[in-house]
Amino acid sequence: MNYERLKQPLVLVIFGITGDLAQRKLLPALYQLAKADELPEQLRIVGVSRRDVTKAAVFSQLQAFVNEPDYDVAVEQRLKDHTEMRQMDLLDKGAYDALLQHLQEIEAGIGEDGCRLYYLSIPSQAFTPIIRLLGETGHNAPLAGGKDAPRLLIEKPFGYDLASARELIAVLGEHFGEGQVYRIDHYVAKETVQNILTFRFHNPLFESIWNNRHIDHISIMAHEKIDIEGRANFYEQTGALRDFIQSHMLQLLAITTMSRPPQLESDEIHTEKIKLLEAVQPIAPNQVSQQTIRGQYEGYRDEVSNPDSLTETFARMQLWIDNEDWTGVPIVLETGKALNEKLTEISVCFRQPDDSVTEQNKLVFRIQPQEGITLRLQTKRPGIQNVTGSADMDFDYAKSFNQRPAEAYERVIVDAIRGDQTLFATSAEVIRSWEIVENVLEQWSHSQAGLQVYAKGSEGPVETEQYKAQ
Ligand code: BG6
């Protein structure tokens, strides 16, 4: 990776700077990077919005979202000084011409050998016209004095289903090269998720047992305590399967089970990831009811003002991987909103060779909160009897490294500036992930069958109880 890049001038164009995501994640990440002096000195942020919004309004909530005791107003001021707002009609081609001219003027002033990033922090339905207009008006062309072409960062969901994802990818492909497109899956950029690859491929101890001869099952869960938090429109069209499983959880699955790439480098990692995803068996239409559970929290329909809503706020899915290493190992993905706790973890449960072993060894990657890794082992209980008991060996990030882990969005921005695509989803990965869930989406969209209501703050639909023991 080329750390020098962060010294190059940067022009960051944020579409949707007033939106929820930019406010909650993007601006706080920029604040942290600015605070740590990790942003280039020559920096311009151009906040694009349809409405006439002042800079003061854009930054008014930053402190609340950064939410740290030693909040530094000077850093906020620095960011503000580097930012300008630009109101524009997002469907007017002339506005894109004018924007390009303006960006080129900025670049002429701060150095044309830099990097220009477009960050589309907008609802995915709005992607296509904006991508087209950016392409048609030349925003995709290399910078005047630079070697690199501008990069486009886009947020999931990439499409609404398989067909729309293919369309979106085709439109992107018409205007931007694959090397210019950075599809953000912020889960992949979480420190603890990146550590899975390091852990797997730098500890030979585990590498030799990472297969179906030793592993019994894997469960990946992402439970959230928060509900849809007023995002009724977004969530009603999305649901847990699209919001989490098609994107974050299939990426986590791929990272946990892909084979070792020859080098831990972007292209080779993506090659192994797609090979793995190709081996994941899409759920067949006649297996949907056996392999999935869906739920909706009580009160959701009132929140979205749709008494007939079929949108799931909880989804569980069992998948199988058809390759030499993983045949026969069930992989369970489970996610839900308004549950009793915020917990994201991946549990790898090992086989018991015979009855003398009473409990499975279990390796748990704790993605959040309390980031770390736990290994559950069997030990002899103290005392004169020979009785075994379970004990946990714990690695805790906070205790071992007395350092704040970088937030996923900080990493996303830095990697995009550096031009490192390792942590971004490729178009092939996106398409394959939609293929895996397509039949489930199809059935869930027009039938209420099996949709279970669960209480807010509970563990989810009662039907999942039988699996909890695992
Ligand atoms: C987003 C989802 O991708 O991730 C949200 O759209 C969800 O619904 C969020 O709340 C959770 O992210 P994190 O990093 O807080 O676990």
Side-chain angles (χ1 to χ4, degrees), residues 27-296:
L27 292 177
L30 286 169
Y31 163 90
Q32 293 295 0
L33 289 172
K35 193 173 174 190
D37 242 344
E38 283 173 9
L39 288 176
E41 232 164 80
Q42 297 297 326
L43 165 74
R44 288 315 291 173
I45 298 172
V46 180
V48 173
S49 108
R50 274 174 310 180
R51 288 176 293 124
D52 183 14
V53 189
T54 62
K55 218 158 52 167
V58 166
F59 284 89
S60 63
Q61 297 212 75
L62 184 58
Q63 182 163 4
F65 286 128
V66 168
N67 191 20
E68 64 180 13
D70 56 343
Y71 185 77
D72 191 340
V73 282
V75 174
E76 177 184 320
Q77 190 54 48
R78 226 161 55 222
L79 262 189
K80 261 191 201 157
D81 293 344
H82 286 294
T83 303
E84 62 179 81
M85 291 300 296
R86 191 173 177 93
Q87 183 187 9
M88 69 182 246
D89 175 351
L90 298 180
L91 298 178
D92 172 18
K93 203 168 175 180
Y96 287 78
D97 289 325
L99 175 65
L100 181 60
Q101 204 185 340
H102 182 59
L103 297 176
Q104 286 165 343
E105 280 161 16
I106 295 177
E107 283 153 5
I110 64 168
E112 289 170 324
D113 59 339
C115 168
R116 193 196 303 150
L117 299 180
Y118 295 90
Y119 195 117
L120 302 193
S121 183
I122 49 172
S124 58
Q125 308 89 288
F127 283 164
T128 308
I130 293 180
I131 291 165
R132 278 214 172 96
L133 285 164
L134 283 171
E136 286 167 4
T137 52
H139 284 266
N140 48 4
L143 270 58
K147 293 180 286 305
D148 290 335
R151 306 192 180 116
L152 188 65
L153 281 99
I154 57 174
E155 279 287 343
K156 62 161 258 290
F158 311 114
Y160 176 79
D161 54 14
L162 184 56
S164 57
R166 284 201 170 116
E167 266 170 47
L168 175 62
I169 284 166
V171 173
L172 276 166
E174 272 170 43
H175 300 285
F176 290 87
E178 183 74 12
Q180 286 179 281
V181 183
Y182 288 65
R183 297 176 193 83
I184 300 168
D185 186 310
H186 80 280
Y187 264 65
V188 182
K190 285 182 189 280
E191 191 85 62
T192 35
V193 174
Q194 294 164 52
N195 191 37
I196 296 172
L197 290 185
T198 307
F199 181 89
R200 287 189 53 201
F201 299 129
H202 290 270
N203 292 297
L205 174 68
F206 290 99
E207 207 180 344
S208 57
I209 54 169
W210 213 253
N211 54 49
N212 52 10
R213 291 178 295 289
H214 301 280
I215 292 175
D216 182 66
H217 66 274
I218 296 178
S219 91
I220 304 180
M221 62 163 69
H223 286 185
E224 289 192 283
K225 224 171 166 168
I226 54 169
D227 58 22
I228 61 164
E229 294 190 304
R231 295 151 81 210
N233 277 344
F234 162 77
Y235 207 84
E236 194 41 11
Q237 289 165 34
T238 308
L241 192 53
R242 289 188 176 88
D243 192 32
F244 253 91
I245 292 196
Q246 182 275 335
S247 49
H248 304 322
M249 300 194 89
L250 285 174
Q251 285 287 331
L252 295 182
L253 183 157
I255 289 168
T256 309
T257 54
M258 66 185 236
S259 301
R260 173 195 265 278
Q263 310 278 339
L264 281 179
E265 295 201 343
S266 182
D267 286 353
E268 298 176 358
I269 290 176
H270 285 299
T271 303
E272 290 307 328
K273 260 166 107 180
I274 190 65
K275 263 198 237 161
L276 188 283
L277 290 169
E278 296 283 353
V280 174
Q281 298 302 287
I283 297 187
N286 62 0
Q287 288 299 313
V288 173
S289 59
Q290 273 92 44
Q291 285 180 239
T292 67
I293 296 175
R294 65 173 159 158
Q296 189 185 70

Side-chain angles (χ1 to χ4, degrees), residues 376-421:
R376 173 155 295 189
L377 300 167
Q378 296 308 304
T379 59
K380 181 189 167 302
R381 280 184 182 282
I384 50 170
Q385 312 263 17
N386 262 342
V387 183
T388 39
S390 297
D392 287 346
M393 277 173 72
D394 259 335
F395 153 67
D396 189 288
Y397 259 90
K399 279 192 209 139
S400 299
F401 304 104
N402 189 16
Q403 195 179 324
R404 181 187 72 88
E407 278 293 320
Y409 275 84
E410 294 169 39
R411 183 67 197 251
V412 162
I413 297 164
V414 169
D415 281 3
I417 302 172
R418 285 179 194 152
D420 180 346
Q421 287 185 305

